[in-house]
Amino acid sequence: MSPSSASVVENARFNSTVIVPNALQGLFRRRRAAVRAATAADVDGWAVGLLAGMRDKHSGGPVWVRVMTDRALLLLTPADAHRALEGSPDPFAPDPDGKRKGMVAFQPDALTISRGDEWRNRREFTEAVLETGAPMHGLADGFAATAREEAGALVGETAGELTWDEWQRAFRRLARRVILGDAARDDDELTGELAAMMDEANGMPGRTSERYTDFVERLVEYVNAADEGALVGLFDGAPSDERTKREGQVPHWLFATHDTLAINSFRALAAILSHPRQRGKALDEIGGLDEHADGSQIEALTYLEACLQEAMRLWPTTPMLSRVTLSDTDWQGETVPVGTQVLIVNTFFHRDRERLDYADRFLPEAWIDGDAAERWEFNHFSRGPQRCPGTGLALFCGKAMLASLLRAADVEVTSPLDPDRPMPHMLDFYSLRFRLG
C-alpha cells in the first residue's frame, strides 16, 4: 500500500506531542524544567495514542507528515522500521539536517553523522576499540573494578539520599576512567566543557562550538598517554588513518555513557526496586557475586541486564530515530524523494498495545525467555548495520554500576512505581530519589 497523507489535525497533533516537546526538553542534553513539565503533561502518552490512531486510520502506513514545514515519512509498522534500519547507511543515512546541525556542535567528526567511506572507516575503528560483537570486552575485569570503586565512592559521599546529581557524577567518573584512563577520573572540567557544548547543540547551531578545539586538545593528551586499562589504550591497535579522527569519536562515547547510560540505569534502579518479584530475582543474582567480581561474573548477570534493557524499552532516551534518503527511493510504489526524512518513533513502537501484551509492564523476562531481543520495533540501541557499536559495553557498564551499588548499600526508592498499575509513559529521572542504608 502506498503512503497516505496525514490530515491537518494529525500534523498539528504530531508536532505538538512528538516534535516540539522533544525539542523543548533538549535533543542532546535534557533540560530539567522542561522534562518535569513534559512528564506532568504526559506528552509521550498522548503521542502513543495519536500514533496508534494514525496507524489504524491509515492501514498501517507509512504516512506523509509535516515536521514543522518539511515533508517526512512516518513509519508505523515493525516491517517498515526494519526496512529503513536495515537499509542504513545507504540509502537511509543517519544524519538528517536537524541531527547534523545539533551534533556538529560537539562531535563534528563522529561516526553517527558520517557517510560513505568516512562512515565505513570510522565504523571499523570504533568496532575494533569497543570490540563490537565480542562475548565480553577484553578490558572487562578492569571496568568491573572501576564500577565497584565508583559505586563505593558514591555510597561514601551520599548522605543517605541518592539523587540524579550524585548518580551522574559517579557515571562521569566511570566514563572518564573507562574511556580515557584513571588520570581522567577527576577531570570535571573536561566533562563540563562537553556538557556546555551539548547545551549549545540543543539550539541546532549548524556549526562547531568555539569550545571544541580546546576540548579536543585535552582529549588528545589522554589519547597520547594511552592508558592500557582504558579504551584509548586500544587506539594504536585499531585500524585508522587521517580520516578516522580517532579523538573525534570520543565525545560520543563520553556523552553516551555519562548521560544516556546513566539515565537508563537510574530508571532501571527505580523499576527494579518498585517491583518485589523482579527485585528479589535481581538481588538473588547479584548476591552470587564474589566480593571482587571479575568481568565474567558481571557479564553473567543476565537478569540484571534484562532489567536494564526493559527500562530502556519503557522509557527510551532516544524517543525518535530519523534517517534521510540519499537518493530517490521507491516505497510501495511511490517515490520518496532524495533528502526526505524517515521517522521511527520509539516511544510509540515500544509501547504499542496492539502488538505487545506487556507494553506497559516491567517484564525483564521478555529479554530472556521471550523475543524482545529480536523485535525490530525495540530500537533503544537501533538495529541493522548502524546498531550502536557500544551496545555490549554499555550494558556491561550499566549492570556493573547497578550491581556494585546494590551490593554496597541497602537501597530503597522513596516514591516507588506501582507494580499493579501500567507503567507511566514518562519517568522524570531528575525527580527520582533513593534512600541508602
Side-chain angles (χ1 to χ4, degrees), residues 13 103 307:
R13 292 184 63 199
M103 284 193 168
C307 290

Side-chain angles (χ1 to χ4, degrees), residues 14-344:
F14 180 73
N15 280 277
S16 65
T17 61
V18 178
I19 303 300
V20 173
N22 280 301
L24 291 176
Q25 289 175 83
L27 295 176
F28 304 102
R29 188 162 186 249
R30 287 310 213 192
R31 301 179 176 109
R32 195 180 297 251
V35 169
R36 182 170 60 248
T39 302
D42 190 27
V43 292
D44 284 357
W46 288 103
V48 170
L50 169 66
L51 269 61
M54 290 178 66
R55 186 263 321 279
D56 296 342
K57 176 183 174 182
H58 295 276
S59 303
V63 180
W64 287 110
V65 295
R66 291 281 177 182
V67 177
M68 309 310 285
T69 59
D70 295 330
R71 198 168 185 238
L73 192 65
L74 174 65
L75 308 184
L76 295 170
T77 66
D80 283 345
H82 187 161
R83 179 185 173 185
L85 295 174
E86 191 64 49
S88 295
D90 190 356
F92 303 107
D95 62 335
D97 190 51
K99 180 178 178 180
R100 175 173 288 278
K101 282 182 176 179
M103 284 193 168
V104 74
F106 66 100
Q107 50 175 7
D109 301 312
L111 169 65
T112 191
I113 53 172
S114 301
R115 292 185 180 183
D117 289 341
E118 280 190 348
W119 179 84
R120 285 182 283 273
N121 178 295
R122 292 167 182 173
R123 181 79 187 195
E124 185 179 17
F125 169 78
T126 298
E127 289 189 352
V129 174
L130 303 185
E131 299 184 10
T132 305
M136 183 177 71
H137 198 281
L139 299 176
D141 287 349
F143 296 162
T146 296
R148 186 167 57 250
E149 291 166 10
E150 294 306 337
L154 172 64
V155 172
E157 68 189 21
T158 301
E161 182 181 62
L162 173 62
T163 69
W164 165 252
D165 292 328
E166 290 91 10
W167 182 252
Q168 189 181 40
R169 277 197 294 271
F171 255 88
R172 285 177 167 179
R173 295 193 298 263
L174 173 75
R176 291 193 296 262
R177 294 179 69 184
V178 165
I179 297 167
L180 301 174
D182 289 343
R185 180 187 188 269
D186 298 317
D187 196 346
D188 292 322
E189 185 177 347
L190 178 79
T191 304
E193 285 296 291
L194 178 57
M197 291 190 292
M198 290 167 61
D199 282 334
E200 292 176 29
N202 282 343
M204 315 290 273
R207 63 181 183 279
T208 303
S209 171
E210 294 179 357
R211 302 171 184 265
Y212 186 74
T213 299
D214 290 342
F215 174 77
V216 168
E217 287 179 359
R218 293 172 70 97
L219 288 182
V220 169
E221 293 178 10
Y222 292 115
V223 171
N224 290 341
D227 186 323
E228 293 182 355
L231 296 181
V232 292
L234 303 176
F235 278 20
D236 287 345
S240 66
D241 57 29
E242 66 280 357
R243 296 173 301 171
T244 308
K245 304 290 186 183
R246 301 187 310 174
E247 65 281 353
Q249 308 316 308
V250 173
H252 189 83
W253 303 350
L254 285 170
F255 106 80
T257 306
H258 64 52
D259 276 65
T260 304
L261 180 60
I263 293 169
N264 288 326
S265 301
F266 210 44
R267 287 169 170 163
L269 182 63
I272 292 167
L273 297 180
S274 296
H275 291 77
R277 180 180 62 80
Q278 290 88 331
R279 173 183 178 144
K281 293 183 70 171
L283 291 179
D284 284 347
E285 184 179 60
I286 293 166
L289 294 175
D290 293 339
E291 182 180 356
H292 300 290
D294 62 13
S296 62
Q297 287 187 286
I298 297 298
E299 185 60 36
L301 296 174
T302 55
Y303 192 78
L304 188 60
E305 179 174 313
C307 290
L308 183 53
Q309 290 266 35
E310 183 68 345
M312 294 179 182
R313 177 190 72 82
L314 285 166
W315 305 290
T317 46
T318 303
M320 183 172 67
L321 299 176
S322 58
R323 298 291 185 261
V324 61
T325 52
L326 296 182
S327 59
D328 289 350
T329 304
D330 177 77
W331 201 294
Q332 300 176 2
E334 182 168 336
T335 298
V336 179
V338 61
T340 299
Q341 272 202 85
V342 178
L343 307 177
I344 299 168

Side-chain angles (χ1 to χ4, degrees), residues 379-431:
N379 285 302
H380 41 277
F381 284 116
S382 191
R383 292 188 186 272
Q386 290 194 293
R387 176 179 173 83
C388 173
T391 297
L393 185 56
L395 291 170
F396 180 91
C397 290
K399 61 186 177 182
M401 280 294 284
L402 288 169
S404 297
L405 174 67
L406 291 169
R407 279 181 61 86
D410 180 18
V411 188
E412 299 287 341
V413 58
T414 58
S415 297
L417 301 163
D418 187 342
D420 296 321
R421 295 178 61 83
M423 290 295 96
H425 283 96
M426 305 184 74
L427 185 60
D428 178 5
F429 59 94
Y430 288 118
S431 71

